[in-house]
Amino acid sequence: MKSMHRAPLISSSSSSSSSSSNSFVSRLLLLLTLLPVSLACLAFILQWRGGGLADPASASVISSTSVPGGNSDLNHEVFPGMETVSSVSPKAHQSSSDCSNLARSSSPSFPYYGDWKFGVDSNLKPKICITTSTSAGLDQILPWMFYHKVLGVSTFFLFVEGKAATPSISKVLESIPGVKVIYRTKELEEKQAKSRIWNETWLSSFFYKPCNYELFVKQSLNMEMAIVMARDAGMDWILHLDTDELIYPAGAREYSLRRLLLDVPPNVDMVIFPNYESSVERDDIKDPFTEVSMFKKNYDHLPKDTYFGMYKEATRNNPNYFLTYGNGKSVARVQDHLRPNGAHRWHNYMKTPNEIKLEEAAVLHYTYAKFSDLTSRRDRCGCKPTKEDVKRCFMLDFDRSVVIQALKESGVFSSVVSSASSNLSKKQFLASMHKGNSSKTTEAESLALKDKESQGISARHLLGTESAVPPLSPPGMEHARFVTED
């Protein structure tokens, strides 16, 4: 009987041990399953920018204001010059987390005022600066600057006029670290009228011509001054860029212009960025930098058989493959005797610069992305609505055709006909052409012309024989034969 009672006890003990082991394994598996799920949930909560959590990057543009009676309200501060950015209610802010609204959001795409310094060590090398001549508003200048700050640009020399020079906008620009604002004043024009550029041949073919030629000279004079400021600020590289252009630093080990230039050999003086041109997919673009995503590649970055093989399909009856220029922009190493060579290149008074052209990095040119781009270009010039005069004002074929069409639609043709009866003299007409648009006052122009004539400059005294590089269209079909032969 004793032996009969022991067997069940042993069996019961063995079953209990097996059950305990199975329970431990089950708990371990449950723990291993729940742990990554919990970590994933935690990461989602930390990265969430939904309505329940305040975005620290945008906290600087939201202020709590006291209201009589003890109530408080959150108002979205509208910075001067950014009238298109409307106040956002808490409910609207909460709904902004919906991904479907991101592409058409009317609020700023970048937290411009979050932290312009980014906590980056100011001693990092190389030090890069950008110079530009602009009349744009904050809605274009701020995202342009913020983007290039992220890429490693530390200093901006902004030559402002028009809208950009108004107090509401210039005040904001001057408050940003690393930004130097230069106004087109009478003193600046008188100083530039004494520049050595006026006594040299490389830019002389652009002198005393209206509109785009005048802008080209103005940009060159501004670039000349920016070189001096860049050298004084201890910059290593200087880049001339318009506010409708962004650097695309492809090919670098990280998305950084600083990293890209750090890898450039020390014997290189100038780096050329071929430009890509935006292809607008809609006619209601408001913010090109966030809404335009398709670009035509540059001729230099395409197989030649592909470029010429698809040329007709790509141009779509336009005068050229690109609507505007196709010869890129360049960044130059800041050094002695550096000078501009037009808006697209740099040169040196004492040597021919050693240059390289990047195989992947590019300038993204957001050209004619908005209808206002067309009208602003039309309004910038006072040229007569004839093919001959538009050719005198604009360098590129598409600019000329667009402006002529815009002048027709705006009724300028009829207004010119009616004004002809007033028998305006040539001098009066030219004065009316430049009124409100001219980069050089009549006084500054006459001063420079008088100075040039009084000196009796002869060809042997002119310096700088390298001609300035103007905006050039990409190769057309007439070049295909020469490429094939090569």
Side-chain angles (χ1 to χ4, degrees):
M1 292 291 292
K2 291 182 179 180
S3 61
M4 291 177 62
H5 288 290
R6 286 175 184 171
L9 288 173
I10 295 172
S11 177
S12 175
S13 174
S14 175
S15 175
S16 175
S17 174
S18 176
S19 175
S20 175
S21 176
N22 289 337
S23 175
F24 174 76
V25 172
S26 299
R27 291 175 181 175
L28 182 61
L29 290 174
L30 179 62
L31 177 63
L32 293 176
T33 302
L34 292 177
L35 183 60
V37 173
S38 301
L39 291 175
C41 292
L42 178 61
F44 175 78
I45 292 172
L46 291 176
Q47 296 182 17
W48 185 41
R49 288 290 184 260
L53 296 177
D55 183 357
S58 61
S60 58
V61 297
I62 299 178
S63 60
S64 177
T65 56
S66 299
V67 180
N71 296 325
S72 63
D73 186 22
L74 285 177
N75 293 326
H76 207 275
E77 183 178 347
V78 180
F79 287 97
M82 298 188 69
E83 295 81 6
T84 57
V85 181
S86 57
S87 297
V88 180
S89 64
K91 183 178 289 186
H93 179 69
Q94 185 172 1
S95 65
S96 66
S97 61
D98 186 356
C99 295
S100 63
N101 294 329
L102 289 177
R104 301 224 177 211
S105 173
S106 61
S107 59
S109 304
F110 300 96
Y112 310 125
Y113 286 82
D115 181 10
W116 280 95
K117 294 181 180 180
F118 306 111
V120 177
D121 185 1
S122 60
N123 294 321
L124 288 178
K125 292 282 188 177
K127 291 185 177 181
I128 310 166
C129 67
I130 290 180
T131 178
T132 190
S133 304
T134 182
S135 59
L138 292 182
D139 56 337
Q140 181 171 328
I141 298 176
L142 289 184
W144 174 81
M145 281 202 301
F146 191 94
Y147 173 85
H148 289 106
K149 278 267 191 179
V150 172
L151 294 191
V153 176
S154 60
T155 305
F156 297 83
F157 301 116
L158 307 182
F159 291 82
V160 298
E161 57 183 291
K163 186 177 181 180
T166 58
S168 60
I169 293 179
S170 59
K171 180 180 179 182
V172 175
L173 297 176
E174 289 178 342
S175 69
I176 301 172
V179 174
K180 172 68 175 177
V181 179
I182 304 97
Y183 299 91
R184 180 147 290 277
T185 61
K186 182 179 178 181
E187 290 74 20
L188 176 69
E189 291 177 344
E190 289 178 348
K191 184 176 182 180
Q192 291 185 341
K194 299 175 183 178
S195 166
R196 65 183 292 179
I197 286 178
W198 297 100
N199 297 335
E200 299 170 354
T201 59
W202 60 271
L203 195 61
S204 59
S205 61
F206 299 87
F207 291 163
Y208 314 118
K209 294 181 180 180
C211 205
N212 273 18
Y213 294 90
E214 182 184 19
L215 173 63
F216 193 75
V217 172
K218 183 198 309 182
Q219 288 174 326
S220 299
L221 291 168
N222 292 344
M223 291 166 69
E224 183 185 48
M225 295 186 69
I227 291 173
V228 177
M229 291 186 282
R231 186 169 59 242
D232 293 343
M235 296 291 109
D236 299 303
W237 293 92
I238 183 169
L239 169 67
H240 176 258
L241 212 61
D242 296 330
T243 54
D244 62 349
E245 299 169 333
L246 300 178
I247 288 291
Y248 172 53
R253 284 176 283 174
E254 57 192 61
Y255 200 81
S256 165
L257 179 59
R258 179 185 284 122
R259 180 73 262 174
L260 193 70
L261 295 178
L262 194 62
D263 294 336
V264 173
N267 65 324
V268 172
D269 303 306
M270 182 169 63
V271 178
I272 298 173
F273 291 81
N275 63 295
Y276 292 2
E277 186 175 86
S278 61
S279 295
V280 181
E281 304 163 68
R282 304 197 320 268
D283 60 1
D284 59 345
I285 298 294
K286 302 298 182 185
D287 182 3
F289 291 150
T290 58
E291 296 179 65
V292 175
S293 59
M294 189 165 64
F295 291 81
K296 287 183 180 180
K297 275 194 169 185
N298 192 281
Y299 169 82
D300 291 320
H301 285 182
L302 285 171
K304 302 306 172 265
D305 55 345
T306 301
Y307 178 84
F308 290 111
M310 301 295 293
Y311 186 85
K312 290 184 178 180
E313 289 80 357
T315 55
R316 295 181 177 272
N317 297 321
N318 285 316
N320 209 286
Y321 171 68
F322 278 174
L323 302 184
T324 53
Y325 75 91
N327 54 328
K329 290 293 182 73
S330 61
V331 58
R333 200 182 295 274
V334 178
Q335 54 188 294
D336 292 340
H337 312 297
L338 180 67
R339 71 160 173 85
N341 198 31
H344 297 260
R345 294 291 186 271
W346 306 85
H347 201 65
N348 194 293
Y349 281 112
M350 303 303 293
K351 65 178 181 179
T352 300
N354 181 23
E355 65 180 51
I356 61 172
K357 184 176 292 185
L358 297 176
E359 297 180 355
E360 295 182 69
V363 170
L364 304 181
H365 187 198
Y366 294 79
T367 183
Y368 286 122
K370 299 183 295 182
F371 183 74
S372 59
D373 295 340
L374 185 153
T375 55
S376 63
R377 191 161 298 201
R378 175 200 68 193
D379 298 339
R380 189 174 67 201
C381 301
C383 299
K384 292 184 291 185
T386 63
K387 288 184 178 180
E388 293 74 17
D389 209 55
V390 169
K391 185 175 182 179
R392 189 171 62 89
C393 292
F394 296 93
M395 302 181 192
L396 299 172
D397 290 336
F398 188 81
D399 285 341
R400 295 166 182 168
S401 60
V402 163
V403 169
I404 283 210
Q405 183 63 29
L407 290 173
K408 287 180 179 179
E409 295 176 355
S410 64
V412 173
F413 277 41
S414 57
S415 64
V416 169
V417 172
S418 62
S419 65
S421 59
S422 62
N423 297 321
L424 286 176
S425 66
K426 181 179 179 181
K427 183 177 181 180
Q428 289 172 324
F429 180 73
L430 290 174
S432 66
M433 259 179 50
H434 291 281
K435 186 177 180 181
N437 299 309
S438 178
S439 64
K440 296 176 72 66
T441 62
T442 305
E443 179 183 353
E445 278 192 341
S446 59
L447 175 64
L449 183 59
K450 182 178 179 181
D451 180 67
K452 183 175 180 180
E453 291 174 345
S454 64
Q455 290 179 18
I457 300 173
S458 60
R460 67 177 181 273
H461 294 127
L462 296 175
L463 303 174
T465 57
E466 180 74 20
S467 180
V469 178
L472 300 173
S473 295
M477 286 302 295
E478 65 275 10
H479 298 90
R481 179 170 58 88
F482 300 104
V483 173
T484 305
E485 290 176 355
D486 291 343

